């Protein structure tokens, strides 16, 4: 099973300025963020998944929120939600691909270790 | 919307555009195909406004579904523009659509006014169809050899009651005028001459000129 300790390694991905992992109820599981932010993040993640209910689309793989000088990437991870703040001038598409690859890797790593 | 359709033609990476009201109704929808598409997701207006609370002064939310994305941007009156596009869509396409959609949001009062606006004969005469209607009125005057206003106005009112006046319906209007002319010779003379007006107008209209 993937643990919180696995998520901490996400900070090592090039381009990740900060991150936060919250539960569906808005409880902070890893990373740094205020309680208010965590609750709002969980709410937005739930609403994001709800946008495709009763449509042919699967829930979004990621959600990017952008302002002139900053952005926030939200990625659903099972029953949790991961938010990543990219460092400035980091291509967003590449960072999302790197984070998704990381998440796939830590899941796969545990699947392999459970089998062996 | 014509401008948005022109932009869609220019940017093939954009597949469809939706303008969403605060109560989540899709006020406008168009695509680069001929049919108006259904909006691919729900509650996008509320989602945009809640998501942008997470970052101060944020102005864009992009939902990625893998091969397709939906980018949300704000419009006046808390309406939201939703653009469905491929992941490699250029920012200039989104900027152009965003700019073109700024005038689409309307207040409830404005929308009600539009829904219940009454089309008057004067408005029809003052519009684009006036270029065909004025020659038809002059022709009527020549044929009946009398002031044509009363007869013409009556036919115009009847035409408005029956259909939305358009270039394609001009021959219906001509029929109404002809039917009101009691003298059979004058009636057939008018019908023949009027046909010349809107038939020649049809040809020149394709070249975007008026008679």
């Amino acid at each position: 099973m993937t643990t919180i300790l696995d998520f901490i390694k996400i900070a090592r991905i090039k381009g990740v300025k900060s991150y936060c992992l919250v539960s569906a109820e808005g409880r902070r599981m890893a990373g740094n963020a205020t309680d208010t932010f965590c609750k709002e993040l969980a709410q937005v993640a739930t609403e994001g998944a709800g946008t495709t209910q009763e449509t042919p689309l699967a829930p979004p793989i990621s959600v990017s929120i952008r302002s002139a000088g900053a952005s926030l990437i939200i990625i659903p991870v099972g029953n949790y939600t991961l938010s990543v703040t990219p460092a400035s001038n980091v291509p967003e598409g590449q960072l999302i691909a790197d984070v998704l690859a990381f998440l796939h890797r830590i899941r796969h790593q545990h699947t392999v270790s459970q089998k062996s | 919307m014509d401008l948005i359709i022109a932009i869609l033609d220019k940017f093939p990476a954009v597949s469809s555009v939706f303008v969403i009201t605060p109560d989540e109704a899709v006020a406008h929808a168009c695509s680069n195909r001929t049919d108006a598409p259904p909006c691919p997701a729900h509650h996008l207006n509320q989602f945009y406004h809640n998501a942008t609370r997470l970052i101060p002064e944020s102005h864009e939310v992009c939902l990625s579904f893998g091969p397709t994305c939906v980018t949300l941007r704000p419009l006046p009156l808390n309406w939201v523009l939703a653009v469905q596009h491929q992941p490699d869509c250029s920012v200039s396409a989104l900027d152009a659509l965003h700019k073109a959609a700024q005038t689409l949001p309307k207040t409830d009062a404005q929308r009600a006014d539009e829904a219940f606006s009454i089309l008057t004969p004067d408005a029809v005469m003052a519009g684009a169809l006036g270029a065909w209607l004025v020659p038809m009125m002059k022709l009527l005057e020549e044929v009946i050899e009398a002031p044509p206003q009363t007869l013409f106005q009556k036919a115009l009112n009847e035409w408005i009651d029956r259909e939305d006046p358009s270039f394609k319906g001009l021959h219906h209007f001509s029929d109404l005028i002809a039917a009101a002319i009691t003298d059979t010779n004058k009636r057939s003379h008018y019908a023949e001459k009027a046909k010349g007006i809107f038939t020649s107008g049809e040809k020149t209209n394709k070249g975007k000129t008026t008679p």
Side-chain angles (χ1 to χ4, degrees), chain A residues 37 40-41 43-44 47-48 51-55 57-58 60-68 71-72 74, chain B residues 40-44 46-47 50-66 68 71:
Chain A
F37 178 87
E40 288 183 352
L41 177 62
Q43 187 196 338
V44 167
E47 287 176 0
T51 60
T52 55
Q53 272 180 0
E54 297 173 17
T55 75
L57 284 176
I61 296 167
S62 68
V63 174
S64 304
I65 305 164
R66 300 164 187 147
S67 71
S71 66
L72 182 76
I74 301 172
Chain B
H42 305 307
H43 309 297
L44 292 176
Q46 183 191 339
F47 180 68
N50 287 343
T52 47
R53 276 196 230 141
L54 289 173
I55 299 189
E57 295 176 26
S58 49
H59 59 272
E60 185 175 282
V61 175
C62 179
L63 298 100
S64 169
F65 299 99
T68 189
T71 294

Side-chain angles (χ1 to χ4, degrees), chain B residues 4-209:
Chain B
I4 288 178
I5 291 165
I7 295 168
L8 285 176
D9 286 342
K10 197 175 161 190
F11 295 101
V14 178
S15 54
S16 45
V17 173
F18 308 91
V19 178
I20 300 166
T21 67
D23 56 0
E24 306 294 350
V26 177
H28 302 279
C30 62
S31 75
N32 53 17
R33 298 182 303 274
T34 49
D35 54 332
C39 191
H42 305 307
H43 309 297
L44 292 176
N45 190 303
Q46 183 191 339
F47 180 68
Y48 171 83
H49 287 103
N50 287 343
T52 47
R53 276 196 230 141
L54 289 173
I55 299 189
E57 295 176 26
S58 49
H59 59 272
E60 185 175 282
V61 175
C62 179
L63 298 100
S64 169
F65 299 99
T68 189
C69 298
V70 174
T71 294
L72 308 173
R73 285 196 181 185
L75 291 173
L77 302 171
N78 284 333
W79 289 35
V80 164
L81 173 71
V83 181
Q84 187 174 11
H85 57 86
Q86 293 168 13
D88 59 352
C89 177
S90 68
V91 176
S92 59
L94 297 171
D95 288 345
L97 289 166
H98 191 204
K99 192 177 173 188
Q102 292 297 315
T103 56
L104 294 176
K106 301 270 183 354
T107 61
D108 288 346
Q110 286 171 323
R111 295 167 85 189
D113 281 350
E114 283 180 4
F116 295 106
S117 64
I118 297 168
L119 189 59
T120 62
D122 287 347
V124 176
M125 290 296 283
L129 287 174
W132 285 273
L133 298 180
V134 171
M136 287 168 85
M137 187 161 70
K138 283 180 182 168
L139 172 66
L140 180 62
E141 188 173 13
E142 282 171 27
V143 172
I144 63 173
E145 295 168 335
Q149 282 81 1
T150 308
L151 198 155
F152 191 85
Q153 195 83 358
K154 192 182 165 195
L156 193 51
N157 275 324
E158 199 172 338
W159 189 35
I160 293 168
D161 286 346
R162 289 186 181 192
E163 60 185 87
D164 286 333
S166 67
F167 180 79
K168 285 181 181 173
L170 272 176
H171 63 284
H172 295 151
F173 176 57
S174 179
D175 292 346
L176 290 171
I177 293 177
I181 300 171
T182 47
D183 186 302
T184 49
N185 286 336
K186 287 180 178 178
R187 185 190 303 156
S188 57
H189 181 56
Y190 178 85
E192 191 61 34
K193 288 270 187 184
K195 196 176 175 185
I197 292 174
F198 59 75
T199 308
S200 64
E202 189 174 19
K203 285 171 188 168
T204 52
N205 188 43
K206 284 174 183 169
K208 293 184 179 175
T209 57

Side-chain angles (χ1 to χ4, degrees), chain A residues 4 7-8 19-22 27-33:
Chain A
I4 297 301
F7 273 98
I8 292 171
Y19 74 96
C20 179
L21 182 74
V22 299
R27 194 152 53 94
R28 185 175 64 83
M29 309 302 290
N32 291 318

